[in-house]
Amino acid sequence: MVGSRYRVIKKLGTVGANYLVNDRVRSQQALLTSQSLTYQCSRRKALKFLGVSTATAMVTTGCKSASSQLIAPTGEPLKNRTLKTVQVDTEGQILAEPSVKIAYFDEPLLRSQLRKALPLRMVKIPAGEFLMGSPSTEPQREAKEGPQRTIQVPSFYMGAFVITQQQYEVVTGNNPSYFTDDEGQDGADLPVEQISWQEADAFCQQLSESTSRTYRLPSEAEWEYACRAGTTTSFCFGETLTTEIANFFADFSFTENFEENYRNTPVAADSFWPNAFGLYNMHGNVYEWCSDDYHDSYKGAPTDANRWTSGNSQSSKVMRGGSWFNDIPYCRSAARDKNSQTGRSNSFGFRVVCEL
């Protein structure tokens, strides 16, 4: 089906024909028929639809210094911030923008080097329990998303944003990304992409050595728990997804106005609203590598949140979240994908976890 998508992108008459580097992104992928989306236009919504950074839209009123009892792995007090998330109805219309409070730290080793770019912001994810996988009643679910099982997840820190190009370059001295320009800017806050699992893992090791803190890729259970942020719906914002709140290909039926629903590129890592845990772009934008070896189902899977390995050093690795190039079923909270450890594409990125 990737071959079909390649032909589809060629028909768009853009540089999209060169976008797919790895034809193993998906073995099967159905085209989703959806209606063109129409919204009431406001300046703020228009900016979000265009993928403009929403960092300046953060609600910071009432933020106070963290209690001395809440200490980050850096030894410094955690910071607190209040953000707006979003909830949508079954048609994708925004119902509410509730406030959420997060506790976080910005990796101090990178502060001066990142300057005005996005920090490596690590959000404290609370401990909890969740039902991993999708129920048989969920639209577009696949058998590999089950059987569902209850997972106990201890607290951990996860990146509010996927690793950006400038963050990756500061740590490694290299930027392999295809999309290196953000509407005339230098692309510093765009997701780093064309990253293999091996390169993502090596980045974590290098960052850990530099900071004396343990950074790693999330386990698949940690990723889904953090994505859901306490929800049981198909997406962390509700039962559906729209291009007003995420970056994905919404209209593979190619209706008359399909280009309005397809940006054809990743957007800045802090675009749109965060979920209830304060994490941005858990649906779409770029696929995110997990530490687990890929298994065809959860049969025999552990009931804790640790990574699940197969004992095969060459095993394919799990990918989550979908990307700018995927349609809606593959961006669901429970949706799973895989690729080889050396596979790379300009739709592949990652975010990191820091251990307590």
Side-chain angles (χ1 to χ4, degrees):
M1 185 56 70
V2 170
S4 298
R5 287 184 173 232
Y6 182 89
R7 291 192 292 273
V8 165
I9 293 301
K10 288 190 70 175
K11 292 180 182 179
L12 295 181
T14 70
V15 296
N18 296 320
Y19 283 2
L20 273 190
V21 177
N22 191 310
D23 64 359
R24 289 175 292 182
V25 175
R26 183 167 313 287
S27 59
Q28 292 181 344
Q29 190 146 339
L31 300 184
L32 175 69
T33 302
S34 62
Q35 295 181 347
S36 182
L37 305 175
T38 304
Y39 306 101
Q40 292 182 345
C41 186
S42 69
R43 182 177 181 275
R44 183 162 63 88
K45 289 184 177 181
L47 289 173
K48 288 179 179 292
F49 178 82
L50 292 172
V52 174
S53 169
T54 60
T56 56
M58 289 179 176
V59 179
T60 58
T61 57
C63 294
K64 299 178 181 179
S65 297
S67 166
S68 59
Q69 294 179 343
L70 298 176
I71 303 299
T74 61
E76 302 173 337
L78 286 175
K79 297 179 180 179
N80 292 298
R81 176 163 286 181
T82 300
L83 308 173
K84 291 284 190 180
T85 186
V86 68
Q87 296 172 352
V88 300
D89 63 17
T90 56
E91 301 300 319
Q93 298 299 310
I94 295 175
L95 294 173
E97 293 183 55
S99 297
V100 294
K101 293 183 178 181
I102 66 167
Y104 70 95
F105 73 92
D106 293 340
E107 173 51 57
L109 182 74
L110 306 185
R111 282 176 191 161
S112 61
Q113 294 165 293
L114 291 174
R115 299 173 187 162
K116 295 182 179 180
L118 285 175
L120 180 54
R121 177 156 296 166
M122 304 303 298
V123 177
K124 187 175 178 61
I125 306 299
E129 177 182 285
F130 83 113
L131 192 62
M132 186 172 179
S134 62
S136 59
T137 55
E138 183 166 307
Q140 286 90 37
R141 83 172 303 263
E142 297 182 90
K144 62 186 177 182
E145 298 164 21
Q148 287 184 293
R149 68 197 195 283
T150 299
I151 304 290
Q152 297 284 341
V153 185
S155 182
F156 61 98
Y157 291 91
M158 188 176 224
F161 321 114
V162 292
I163 295 299
T164 66
Q165 293 181 24
Q166 186 159 335
Q167 291 167 3
Y168 190 86
E169 189 166 3
V170 164
V171 173
T172 68
N174 178 44
N175 180 10
S177 302
Y178 179 86
F179 298 100
T180 55
D181 184 81
D182 183 12
E183 296 187 359
Q185 304 302 314
D186 62 3
D189 289 341
L190 289 174
V192 68
E193 21 85 5
Q194 297 200 130
I195 298 293
S196 70
W197 184 90
Q198 290 181 349
E199 290 165 334
D201 185 58
F203 173 93
C204 293
Q205 293 179 35
Q206 190 168 348
L207 183 60
S208 297
E209 292 172 1
S210 299
T211 62
S212 299
R213 286 175 276 283
T214 302
Y215 283 95
R216 58 175 173 78
L217 295 175
S219 70
E220 187 175 15
E222 287 172 331
W223 192 97
E224 186 172 326
Y225 175 73
C227 176
R228 290 187 177 279
T231 63
T232 58
T233 48
S234 296
F235 305 92
C236 65
F237 303 123
E239 290 292 358
T240 192
L241 203 62
T242 71
T243 52
E244 186 177 10
I245 59 177
N247 182 28
F248 64 104
F249 199 165
D251 191 5
F252 264 102
S253 60
F254 296 96
T255 57
E256 182 178 356
N257 298 318
F258 79 91
E259 289 180 331
E260 296 178 5
N261 300 322
Y262 185 38
R263 296 179 177 86
N264 208 29
T265 178
V267 296
D270 64 337
S271 297
F272 313 109
W273 288 264
N275 70 6
F277 282 169
L279 307 177
Y280 290 77
N281 291 289
M282 295 299 283
H283 303 300
N285 215 21
V286 290
Y287 265 114
E288 299 181 23
W289 289 109
C290 293
S291 58
D292 302 47
D293 293 348
Y294 179 80
H295 298 78
D296 289 331
S297 76
Y298 294 137
K299 185 177 181 180
T303 56
D304 58 32
N306 294 325
R307 66 175 183 169
W308 185 19
T309 58
S310 63
N312 178 4
S313 62
Q314 303 301 314
S315 178
S316 295
K317 294 293 184 176
V318 172
M319 308 183 75
R320 287 299 204 112
S323 77
W324 60 271
F325 190 70
N326 294 103
D327 46 352
I328 199 168
Y330 305 100
C331 299
R332 292 174 299 112
S333 297
R336 310 174 66 221
D337 210 333
K338 66 177 180 177
N339 210 286
S340 70
Q341 296 181 31
T342 57
R344 60 171 57 88
S345 162
N346 52 26
S347 63
F348 294 3
F350 68 106
R351 76 180 69 213
V352 297
V353 160
C354 184
E355 295 185 353
L356 293 173

